[in-house]
Amino acid sequence: MIFWLVVPGRDSFVSPASPSYKGHRYPVEAIAHAVWLYFRFPLSFREVEELMLERGVIVSCETIRRWSAKFGQAYADGLRRRRPRPGDKWHPDEVFVKINGEQKYLWRAVDQDGNVLDILLQSRQEKAAAGRFFRRLMKKTRTVPRVVVTDKLRSYGAAHREVMPSVEHRSHKGLNNRAENSHQPTRQRERAMKGFRSVGGAQRYLSAFSGISPHFRPHRHLMTASDHRAEMTVRFAIWDQITGATGRPTTA
């Protein structure tokens, strides 16, 4: 069994770039592991609580919820800062989500390597919404793409001509499978959570989720087993640096 000895008041080493854990009586390793479980796998807070208990950590589901809300976005931002510059071919796409019975649209963009550039929940599919998303993308990535590939939604073409007219625009339903496939983990999580309860809560969760979950999803189908294990070892080491954890849990 894997376990940690949780000592109230214990202070683990935290690197200068890590979030502040001041006032938390649990070690950094336990907090980071609980947040990792919640954002990496389609688990509820109670299921994470049970997994933590199996490892010898007694913590309530409400505490895990607060950890996820407080540290999830900080961890995601830290991982994004470690990524290389995004590719120059962007694939934006939108899908509808039901929130409290109302239909909203989740806009997402990925580059040619499948890296998530940004997500944004909006109420409409119109030109203004597409333009708002394009401006947000350029501001967040601090770059302008070489090519934008979209489906046949006319809002993209109108917004493209207004916001980034010098960028090549390719509009074809079959060319945007990469962006459409990137919605699958979100759909899986949405089903596990039995839907989102508010627009703000969904935006906050998905913003952190889109930064953390892809970090632990390398293109496994393109790797041998040994290469995949080596890649995951590197990614876990980066996670430890981002969270400020001193090392991985040990086996007893």
Side-chain angles (χ1 to χ4, degrees):
M1 177 183 293
I2 299 175
F3 70 94
W4 294 299
L5 176 62
V6 178
V7 181
R10 171 188 168 188
D11 291 324
S12 295
F13 170 77
V14 179
S15 67
S18 303
S20 173
Y21 298 95
K22 184 177 181 180
H24 291 270
R25 66 189 181 93
Y26 286 84
V28 176
E29 294 87 348
I31 295 173
H33 190 69
V35 174
W36 172 71
L37 285 172
Y38 181 66
F39 285 104
R40 173 61 184 87
F41 303 102
L43 300 171
S44 68
F45 293 122
R46 292 188 183 278
E47 288 169 332
V48 175
E49 175 187 358
E50 186 175 337
L51 289 173
M52 297 296 287
L53 179 62
E54 190 272 336
R55 286 158 174 75
V57 180
I58 301 174
V59 58
S60 70
C61 60
E62 175 59 22
T63 297
I64 295 170
R65 184 193 68 79
R66 291 198 298 266
W67 288 349
S68 299
K70 180 176 181 179
F71 296 110
Q73 188 60 58
Y75 294 166
D77 291 342
L79 291 173
R80 287 190 178 101
R81 287 193 292 269
R82 293 294 190 95
R83 292 178 187 168
R85 290 177 61 86
D88 60 0
K89 181 186 290 187
W90 293 359
H91 296 258
D93 190 48
E94 80 294 332
V95 293
F96 74 87
V97 293
K98 284 281 189 178
I99 300 179
N100 282 337
E102 296 184 7
Q103 182 167 293
K104 306 294 182 181
Y105 294 93
L106 174 62
W107 298 72
R108 181 195 309 273
V110 300
D111 64 12
Q112 65 264 39
D113 299 316
N115 300 313
V116 179
L117 303 175
D118 197 14
I119 63 103
L120 180 64
L121 270 169
Q122 300 192 85
S123 300
R124 299 179 181 275
Q125 283 182 303
E126 61 189 6
K127 169 188 171 183
R132 189 179 303 114
F133 186 51
F134 283 157
R135 292 186 184 94
R136 177 184 168 103
L137 279 172
M138 290 189 293
K139 181 178 180 181
K140 192 161 188 176
T141 61
R142 298 180 181 179
T143 186
V144 176
R146 176 181 56 86
V147 181
V148 172
V149 181
T150 70
D151 57 24
K152 302 294 283 187
L153 182 67
R154 293 184 178 181
S155 300
Y156 286 123
H160 163 263
R161 289 190 294 270
E162 180 178 297
V163 177
M164 50 176 76
S166 62
V167 175
E168 180 184 352
H169 180 212
R170 301 174 187 171
S171 178
H172 189 280
K173 184 177 181 179
L175 292 177
N176 217 30
N177 289 336
R178 185 178 296 278
E180 293 173 358
N181 291 339
S182 73
H183 291 296
Q184 293 178 3
T186 299
R187 288 300 196 196
Q188 182 186 37
R189 199 68 177 97
E190 182 186 19
R191 289 192 295 270
M193 298 171 71
K194 296 180 173 62
F196 300 111
R197 292 174 175 80
S198 69
V199 174
Q203 177 71 42
R204 286 190 295 272
Y205 171 79
L206 292 174
S207 180
F209 175 78
S210 65
I212 295 174
S213 180
H215 179 73
F216 297 101
R217 294 175 181 265
H219 300 296
R220 186 169 187 172
H221 62 289
L222 301 176
M223 303 178 179
T224 64
S226 59
D227 288 344
H228 178 260
R229 286 191 290 269
E231 177 65 21
M232 291 302 295
T233 299
V234 172
R235 296 194 179 205
F236 277 121
I238 293 173
W239 175 257
D240 284 343
Q241 294 172 6
I242 292 297
T243 62
T246 56
R248 310 306 304 168
T250 56
T251 302

